[in-house]
Amino acid sequence: MSSPEQWTHPEPGGGPAATAAKPTPEQVIAGLRATNEGGAELVELLTPEGERVANPEFDKYVADIGAEELRALYRDMVLVRRADREGNALQRQGQLGIWVPLLGQEAAQIGAGRALKPQDMVFPSYREHGVAWCRGVKPEQILATFRGTEHSEWDPVKHRFHPYTIVIGNQVVNATGYAMGQKFEGKVGHEPDAEATMVFFGDGATSQGDVHEGFVWAAVYDAPVVFYCQNNQWAISEPTERQSRLPLYQRARGYGFPGIRVDGNDVLACLAVSRWALEECRTGNGPVLIEAFTYRMDAHTTSDDPTRYRLSDELEAWKLKDPIERVRVHLVRSGMAEPEFFDEVQLEADQLASELRAYCFNMPDPPASRIFEKVYAGGNPLLERERDEYLEYLAGFEGGAH
């Protein structure tokens, strides 16, 4: 009979995680606890108290991060959070149809986003505003998506950032196929031009078939894809322990590729682990599953009320692990930043918020013909006929009392 430790935290080379056909009650309890605690395997470089901790395996991946680089990561997170809060407020004021908050997940996204190279490809879900920021997609362009005036106002080829995907988990299949193409076209293993793909999804998506299908194909073809799961503890109103007996990163073992759990509120750790995983994929050792262990501090979307399914005590506990605050404390304690720096970043955030509000309030409605554009790469006679008929129908209302 396996022990609870073997059930939840198997040793490398120690055989499968579940060695009993039916787990004991103790094993089940241990497994459930492991899904909502970081656990001993959690990679962490910066504690919630802002203390830098050594990690022999991953320190080398952030050896180039000095004071200037750390201040830049702090700036990224502050600006992205401010843009997110503005998007939330704009939706409440009727300017957006819906908004998907990222509050609390800034480190998970900025750390991963800054690990990417220009040639890498990204497939987001619908919450990756921080990764979009790292890929040069402007917050205004994301606002247009949630206002319903654009599907993707950015060029996915230019930014190497796919349009947002609303269907849960579907982007994992798309990303795996793209990564297989990178492998077939010989874009793997030839540094510095080698490519990799990174796909983002939440813990809830791991219960979707598309995610597992992506895992299977990626494993079979050694596709250079990093599966980046932001485990924010809640799949809308369902906690992680209602979906899995094991920590999510351990699922990779069943597909034959490595999985790793990182402190998703630690931007340094997320950067280091993402760099490692992307390097593995670019050199032909992919795929890799990363579970960024973080927390969704706000609602799932602005249509959700989290007070109906989670306790305020849980939220207060996670506030102590705030990803931005731990970097700020570290910068102050180590003498890497003066008060003037934080004031400047705050002013920049205020300016960004003002610009976003002005843009959103003055955003023009697209013409009716816009819905027919960019549907196909080339012309399509049927679509063009439908467009002409629709525009003719709308023209019949001009000047009428309707």
Side-chain angles (χ1 to χ4, degrees):
M1 183 67 69
S2 62
S3 67
E5 181 66 15
Q6 172 67 15
W7 179 261
T8 58
H9 303 298
E11 294 297 324
T19 57
K22 183 178 181 180
T24 65
E26 292 80 8
Q27 289 172 334
V28 172
I29 291 172
L32 296 180
R33 286 176 177 169
T35 62
N36 47 33
E37 296 175 2
E41 292 88 353
L42 189 76
V43 177
E44 186 177 74
L45 301 182
L46 200 61
T47 70
E49 296 75 28
E51 297 177 357
R52 179 72 164 86
V53 291
N55 186 302
E57 185 177 359
F58 289 101
D59 278 345
K60 62 183 179 181
Y61 291 99
V62 288
D64 61 322
I65 303 300
E68 181 179 353
E69 290 77 17
L70 195 56
R71 287 195 298 268
L73 292 171
Y74 174 85
R75 173 184 175 272
D76 281 337
M77 291 192 292
V78 170
L79 295 181
V80 165
R81 176 173 290 188
R82 187 55 184 275
D84 172 71
R85 294 298 79 199
E86 204 60 39
N88 214 70
L90 286 166
Q91 192 282 331
R92 296 306 190 197
Q93 295 169 19
Q95 295 298 315
L96 304 178
I98 195 172
W99 182 251
V100 185
L102 64 72
L103 185 65
Q105 298 179 222
E106 295 87 358
Q109 295 193 16
I110 296 299
R114 290 305 183 197
L116 293 156
K117 291 186 176 181
Q119 68 267 27
D120 295 328
M121 188 63 185
V122 178
F123 286 79
S125 61
Y126 43 71
R127 199 186 303 275
E128 277 67 57
H129 319 322
V131 185
W133 172 272
C134 295
R135 300 308 274 177
V137 175
K138 296 180 180 179
E140 297 90 34
Q141 295 174 303
I142 295 175
L143 290 180
T145 297
F146 289 102
R147 191 180 176 95
T149 58
E150 292 284 348
H151 173 56
S152 170
E153 201 176 28
W154 61 88
D155 183 343
V157 176
K158 174 185 175 183
H159 293 281
R160 308 292 286 169
F161 188 79
H162 194 268
Y164 276 12
T165 303
I166 305 301
V167 180
I168 306 297
N170 181 250
Q171 71 276 14
V172 176
V173 176
N174 298 334
T176 300
Y178 189 92
M180 289 168 60
Q182 290 173 314
K183 176 78 177 294
F184 296 155
E185 293 176 2
K187 296 179 179 179
V188 177
H190 304 289
E191 291 285 4
D193 299 323
E195 297 182 9
T197 292
M198 182 173 269
V199 57
F200 293 84
F201 52 95
D203 47 292
T206 63
S207 296
Q208 294 290 332
D210 282 359
V211 173
H212 297 275
E213 185 174 347
F215 286 176
V216 170
W217 282 90
V220 169
Y221 285 93
D222 294 324
V225 55
V226 177
F227 297 107
Y228 197 92
C229 174
Q230 293 177 83
N231 179 4
N232 63 21
Q233 313 303 312
W234 290 94
I236 309 183
S237 60
E238 290 298 317
T240 310
E241 60 263 29
R242 293 286 297 273
Q243 303 179 72
S244 179
R245 286 183 172 179
L246 290 174
L248 299 179
Y249 78 97
Q250 289 188 15
R251 288 186 175 185
R253 173 177 289 192
Y255 297 93
F257 54 85
I260 187 169
R261 174 180 273 185
V262 62
D263 185 342
N265 284 19
D266 177 355
V267 70
L268 274 183
C270 291
L271 177 64
V273 168
S274 296
R275 282 178 168 179
W276 164 77
L278 287 164
E279 185 177 291
E280 286 287 292
C281 289
R282 294 192 200 100
T283 54
N285 295 322
V288 175
L289 170 63
I290 296 175
E291 178 192 355
F293 197 79
T294 182
Y295 191 78
R296 193 193 78 216
M297 297 295 291
D298 203 343
H300 174 70
T301 72
T302 47
S303 298
D304 170 44
D305 179 8
T307 63
R308 299 183 63 181
Y309 55 80
R310 68 184 187 189
L311 300 175
S312 59
D313 289 352
E314 179 179 307
L315 186 64
E316 292 302 315
W318 275 92
K319 283 182 179 179
L320 300 176
K321 305 176 184 180
D322 184 85
I324 296 178
E325 184 63 17
R326 71 174 67 183
V327 177
R328 189 193 69 80
V329 171
H330 180 69
L331 287 170
V332 172
R333 283 180 174 175
S334 58
M336 293 183 183
E338 299 296 330
E340 293 77 14
F341 164 73
F342 299 106
D343 292 340
E344 290 171 2
V345 172
Q346 187 58 53
L347 286 173
E348 190 176 358
D350 292 341
Q351 180 62 31
L352 174 62
S354 177
E355 292 173 356
L356 288 177
R357 292 186 66 79
Y359 175 85
C360 196
F361 276 96
N362 296 291
M363 192 187 304
D365 291 331
S369 60
R370 176 66 183 85
I371 194 173
F372 297 95
E373 298 174 5
K374 299 181 181 178
V375 177
Y376 296 102
N380 182 281
L382 175 60
L383 186 68
E384 291 168 1
R385 185 167 66 251
E386 291 176 343
R387 177 200 61 201
D388 295 341
E389 290 176 355
Y390 181 63
L391 294 179
E392 183 179 358
Y393 166 75
L394 291 180
F397 293 102
E398 292 181 3
H402 297 283

